Amino acid sequence: MKKIMIIDDNPHFISYMKRLLNDTGHEVLTESTGMSAINQLANYTPDIIFLDFFLPDINADKLCQIIRNMENLKNICIVVMSAAAKELQLDASKIGANALIAKGIFKETAEHVFSAIADLEKPFNNDEVRTIIGIDSVYPRQITKELLEKYCHIETILDSIAQGIVEIYQGQIVYANPAAATNLGKPLYQLLTVNLSSLFVETEKSKVESIIKSKNYESTTINWKGPLHLENKILSIKKLPLKNDDDTTILLISDITESTRAEEAIQSYQNHLESLVEERTSDLKKAHERLQHIQKMEAIGIIAGGVAHDLNNILTAIVGYPDLLLLELPADSSYRRILLTIKESGKKAADVVQDLLTMARRGVNTNEVVDLNSIIFDFLNSPECEKLKSFHSTTYLETILENNLLNISGSPTHLSKTIMNLIFNAAEAMPDGGKIIVSTENRYVDKGIRVSCGNKEIEEGDYVILTVSDTGVGISAEDIDKIFDPFYTNKIMGRSGTGLGMTVVWGTMEDHKGYINVASSSGKGTTFSLYFPATRQELTKKSSRIPIGEYKGKGESILVVDDVEKQRQMVSMILTMLGYSVSTTSCGEEAVEYIRKNQADLIILDMVMAPGIDGLETFKRIHEFHPDQKAIIASGYSEGELISKCLELGVGQYIKKPYTIENIGIAVRQELDKN
């Protein structure tokens, strides 16, 4: 006879199993929710626990963690059951279970339950991994798969947001995301089933209980004079609306310690400054506005970086597939023009993504030595400049470029975009025509010069100054501090451009460690002066376009690791067409196991993969047992520090998405040809 607990919210299944198990002499205790089961397990130790994966309050993965941390149940046998086992693709070892059962019809499920009970007679340990019992008798259902994908998508979002979310059912915590666990100072398994108010000191308990019991279904924040204190943290708790469910409460918990203390410090500093002379008040206001601007730009940068990453994944297909098709089509095919149009549109979209990355200050390489005069000359002879002249036929463009201009370290692409944005902005400021002057000069700054953008003082040294001035309508004093704000634009909706031009200029100058000075007034034109630190290094030699035949493969084996299926397919097609033997995996863990069992002449690793380990961690693990493994890292955007760590560890090159035949083909060939 075994002592058995069944946790399932299906009363018919519980009744059916209890009768069968009782008839065979087993002692059976049943519960319909995770909370009630935990209360019973405090005083009851069964030989085996059967629990359904989806329960009304706590799902099996969380419930297993709680049970495993109960002293009397550490070595208990736990069997998880689910009708969605096929779609969930569960791993018993990862959720703390000893076995998994795929629930089907009652009779078959009962047989699997008895089989699991019989296995108790065999030696086992909690680290043992077993296959899903009965998985062959169930079939995946598309609707279930889609619902689970939505569920996983929402769970990923909740796990990644910075604010804590807590669900309380009948007074006890049944869900908390990682941010909530961090804010409350407890690991997740210690939070579940706990009364939230018990985590606070006595003076704060009543405040927490008051908002939980409140019948106000509007979103409300507790407005106490004294904030909640938990382990020296200051927390803000907000109740979110949840109608028609009196047993459940959703709370938003934010750690406002730093912001509160910063506000207190700022307030104290302001009070001190108010006692000083009146002229200091203006400096305080500018410092405060600068702080707000930096915070706003950082927030927009995070959003822009994420959007750019997703768009780059999409653009890989738009830019890459036309290349593949163009190689197959004859020169006189009528479809070539269509494909070239698609490819060109993709490149324009990639330029917009590059603007987002610049604004996010991600993925910008400023190490190339360049001549700013050459970049200006190239832009003035570009199709973009011709388009400007056609739209603004009454605008005259003059250049005054200094001979023997010093070189600077930078990104030619971003510098060209900066020049374009400044000239286009100047043209927009002269609807009735006028004059734009673009000039460059060398200048040594021997003492602090304060520039208007950010109210910064220029460090001593050699600088190359780019100046763009116009005779346009000018910028009013109240607007001049807003021109680099991504939320501020004078562009008319529907006209060309994204309205991010000045924001991109600001981001480019930050990346190039430069300074911006703006001089303007209404009706008297505007002058932008950009200060770039000069370098004594020689110009970087430009490489000519390499014919495709020079980076063809010779049958070498390549492993492509990317969490996006379309990305894997795209890269696989390109490399196969180039003559390589290609294998793919969807995550870093799979890649590590693949290299343990197989050989690959080269690995192409995506930097950002979710869920699971990223490209850097994947290469680290492979490097431990295969230190000579060749690899290339790729990303839609890059955090410079992560890329640097990859290169230091032994990764050969970095490819920026979207993929093209040329950028991936050349990189692969160069890496394989290294000794």
Side-chain angles (χ1 to χ4, degrees):
M1 183 191 79
K2 300 295 182 184
K3 295 196 308 185
I4 299 170
M5 173 177 277
I6 300 177
I7 309 170
D8 199 303
D9 61 336
N10 185 333
H12 302 294
F13 178 73
I14 283 183
S15 176
Y16 177 78
M17 289 305 307
K18 186 172 184 179
R19 177 173 55 82
L20 288 180
L21 292 168
N22 283 337
D23 289 346
T24 54
H26 296 294
E27 177 184 309
V28 182
L29 183 65
T30 65
E31 295 295 339
S32 60
T33 68
M35 296 294 295
S36 61
I38 290 168
N39 293 333
Q40 287 288 350
L41 289 169
N43 302 303
Y44 181 75
T45 304
D47 297 306
I48 185 168
I49 299 174
F50 293 92
L51 66 151
D52 190 31
F53 187 85
F54 291 108
L55 293 169
D57 47 8
I58 304 177
N59 288 340
D61 52 348
K62 303 293 190 302
L63 195 53
C64 284
Q65 291 182 48
I66 298 172
I67 294 173
R68 289 296 182 207
N69 283 280
M70 297 175 74
E71 191 62 34
N72 62 321
L73 301 174
K74 284 186 176 180
N75 297 314
I76 201 73
C77 181
I78 302 175
V79 179
V80 173
M81 306 178 294
S82 177
K86 199 82 170 183
E87 296 84 357
L88 283 169
Q89 298 181 341
L90 294 173
D91 184 336
S93 62
K94 290 184 179 180
I95 63 174
N98 298 100
L100 299 170
I101 290 177
K103 289 173 73 174
I105 62 176
F106 283 7
K107 182 179 179 181
E108 289 182 353
T109 304
E111 292 175 357
H112 301 326
V113 168
F114 279 104
S115 174
I117 295 171
D119 282 348
L120 277 179
E121 304 303 326
K122 304 173 184 178
F124 77 96
N125 58 68
N126 286 334
D127 296 326
E128 183 177 353
V129 178
R130 302 181 181 183
T131 59
I132 301 177
I133 303 170
I135 193 67
D136 295 332
S137 62
V138 297
Y139 300 93
R141 293 149 295 180
Q142 184 61 28
I143 184 65
T144 303
K145 181 180 178 183
E146 291 177 2
L147 290 172
L148 287 173
E149 287 176 351
K150 290 293 184 183
Y151 170 82
C152 293
H153 179 67
I154 294 172
E155 188 174 45
T156 300
I157 293 174
L158 292 176
D159 286 350
S160 62
I161 62 177
Q163 289 181 305
I165 295 178
V166 170
E167 179 183 354
I168 298 174
Y169 178 74
Q170 294 183 344
Q172 294 176 296
I173 298 174
V174 295
Y175 171 81
N177 68 345
T182 300
N183 291 342
L184 294 171
K186 299 284 184 182
L188 184 60
Y189 71 87
Q190 289 185 9
L191 285 179
L192 297 177
T193 74
V194 169
N195 186 301
L196 178 62
S197 63
S198 68
L199 300 175
F200 295 85
V201 296
E202 195 65 34
T203 56
E204 309 291 352
K205 283 184 179 180
S206 60
K207 300 175 184 178
V208 178
E209 291 170 354
S210 67
I211 193 170
I212 294 174
K213 295 176 181 178
S214 172
K215 297 298 182 182
N216 184 2
Y217 287 113
E218 299 297 327
S219 295
T220 56
T221 302
I222 303 177
N223 295 313
W224 299 314
K225 291 183 179 179
L228 292 178
H229 290 266
L230 180 71
E231 296 183 358
N232 297 320
K233 290 183 180 179
I234 303 174
L235 303 181
S236 169
I237 300 181
K238 181 177 182 180
K239 185 175 182 179
L240 301 181
L242 188 65
K243 296 183 179 180
N244 303 322
D245 189 350
D246 294 335
D247 293 330
T248 303
T249 301
I250 304 294
L251 299 177
L252 197 64
I253 301 179
S254 303
D255 183 351
I256 59 171
T257 308
E258 290 188 10
S259 61
T260 301
R261 289 173 180 166
E263 289 173 4
E264 292 172 352
I266 291 173
Q267 185 62 50
S268 175
Y269 186 50
Q270 286 177 334
N271 292 338
H272 172 67
L273 288 179
E274 286 174 0
S275 65
L276 299 176
V277 293
E278 184 177 348
E279 62 190 38
R280 297 295 300 275
T281 304
S282 175
D283 291 338
L284 174 63
K285 181 180 178 182
K286 290 181 179 180
H288 185 65
E289 289 173 351
R290 173 64 178 167
L291 175 63
Q292 287 183 319
H293 179 72
I294 291 173
Q295 291 173 334
K296 185 185 296 181
M297 294 303 293
E298 287 177 349
I300 293 299
I302 292 171
I303 297 171
V307 171
H309 174 260
D310 291 341
L311 286 176
N312 263 327
N313 283 336
I314 296 170
L315 288 172
T316 290
I318 299 175
V319 174
Y321 280 121
D323 271 342
L324 291 171
L325 292 172
L326 286 167
L327 291 174
E328 300 295 330
L329 287 176
D332 60 349
S333 173
S334 60
Y335 290 106
R336 294 187 68 86
R337 179 178 294 179
I338 297 173
L339 290 171
L340 287 170
T341 301
I342 294 172
K343 181 179 177 181
E344 185 62 30
S345 297
K347 287 184 176 180
K348 289 180 179 179
D351 289 340
V352 175
V353 172
Q354 198 60 53
D355 284 349
L356 291 173
L357 287 172
T358 304
M359 188 170 65
R361 298 190 63 205
R362 294 179 177 177
V364 179
N365 178 13
T366 59
N367 296 325
E368 186 173 343
V369 180
V370 293
D371 174 14
L372 194 57
N373 281 349
S374 297
I375 294 176
I376 295 171
F377 180 79
D378 289 343
F379 171 73
L380 295 178
N381 291 277
S382 69
E384 288 83 2
C385 191
E386 292 300 320
K387 186 185 297 184
L388 170 69
K389 293 176 182 177
S390 65
F391 284 146
H392 301 275
S393 57
T394 57
T395 297
Y396 175 66
L397 186 60
E398 179 183 345
T399 57
I400 306 174
L401 307 182
E402 179 165 318
N403 294 325
N404 302 316
L405 190 69
L406 295 173
N407 296 326
I408 63 174
S409 293
S411 164
T413 300
H414 290 81
L415 291 171
S416 179
K417 198 65 179 288
T418 294
I419 294 166
M420 182 189 75
N421 283 328
L422 290 172
I423 294 176
F424 273 49
N425 188 69
E428 291 282 344
M430 300 184 295
D432 299 323
K435 185 177 183 180
I436 301 173
I437 299 176
V438 180
S439 63
T440 58
E441 64 172 305
N442 298 320
R443 184 184 300 177
Y444 179 78
V445 176
D446 59 352
K447 61 181 179 178
I449 297 176
R450 191 166 292 277
V451 292
S452 60
C453 181
N455 197 27
K456 295 180 180 179
E457 191 172 278
I458 302 177
E459 295 182 5
E460 182 180 349
D462 286 310
Y463 288 87
V464 171
I465 302 176
L466 166 68
T467 302
V468 178
S469 60
D470 63 66
T471 58
V473 296
I475 306 170
S476 66
E478 62 217 28
D479 287 340
I480 200 164
D481 291 331
K482 304 175 185 176
I483 58 175
F484 299 107
D485 194 320
F487 296 111
Y488 174 83
T489 179
N490 281 328
K491 281 188 174 291
I492 299 173
M493 293 297 290
R495 289 191 179 178
S496 62
T498 61
L500 298 176
M502 288 297 101
T503 306
V504 171
V505 170
W506 177 87
T508 298
M509 294 306 295
E510 289 291 300
D511 286 318
H512 286 72
K513 297 179 174 56
Y515 304 88
I516 307 176
N517 194 61
V518 185
S520 182
S521 59
S522 295
K524 296 184 179 180
T526 303
T527 298
F528 285 86
S529 298
L530 278 57
Y531 289 72
F532 294 93
T535 179
R536 297 295 176 177
Q537 296 182 44
E538 296 296 325
L539 286 174
T540 305
K541 293 183 179 180
K542 294 184 178 180
S543 59
S544 58
R545 188 177 181 87
I546 302 174
I548 190 171
E550 294 189 19
Y551 49 86
K552 283 276 190 177
K554 304 170 185 177
E556 296 95 329
S557 59
I558 299 179
L559 175 64
V560 177
V561 187
D562 200 302
D563 60 325
V564 180
E565 182 179 1
K566 291 182 179 179
Q567 297 282 304
R568 298 194 302 272
Q569 293 174 348
M570 176 72 204
V571 178
S572 181
M573 289 182 66
I574 290 175
L575 294 173
T576 301
M577 182 275 294
L578 289 174
Y580 296 100
S581 175
V582 185
S583 300
T584 65
T585 63
S586 61
C587 65
E589 291 85 352
E590 290 180 4
V592 174
E593 290 306 310
Y594 180 93
I595 297 300
R596 286 188 189 277
K597 300 174 183 178
N598 306 277
Q599 284 189 332
D601 295 312
L602 179 69
I603 306 174
I604 299 177
L605 282 166
D606 186 22
M607 173 59 82
V608 181
M609 295 184 286
I613 59 177
D614 61 15
L616 173 59
E617 181 61 28
T618 301
F619 187 73
K620 280 182 179 178
R621 295 186 186 182
I622 292 173
H623 190 263
E624 289 176 358
F625 63 86
H626 196 338
D628 297 326
Q629 177 64 60
K630 292 184 177 182
I632 290 173
I633 201 78
S635 181
Y637 68 89
S638 68
E639 297 289 354
E641 184 178 351
L642 291 179
I643 295 298
S644 297
K645 287 181 179 179
C646 287
L647 298 176
E648 289 171 6
L649 192 61
V651 171
Q653 296 192 47
Y654 159 59
I655 303 175
K656 179 176 288 188
K657 295 181 180 179
Y659 291 116
T660 64
I661 292 178
E662 186 174 34
N663 73 354
I664 194 170
I666 293 173
V668 168
R669 189 68 266 156
Q670 289 177 346
E671 193 61 25
L672 288 172
D673 289 343
K674 287 182 181 178
N675 294 328

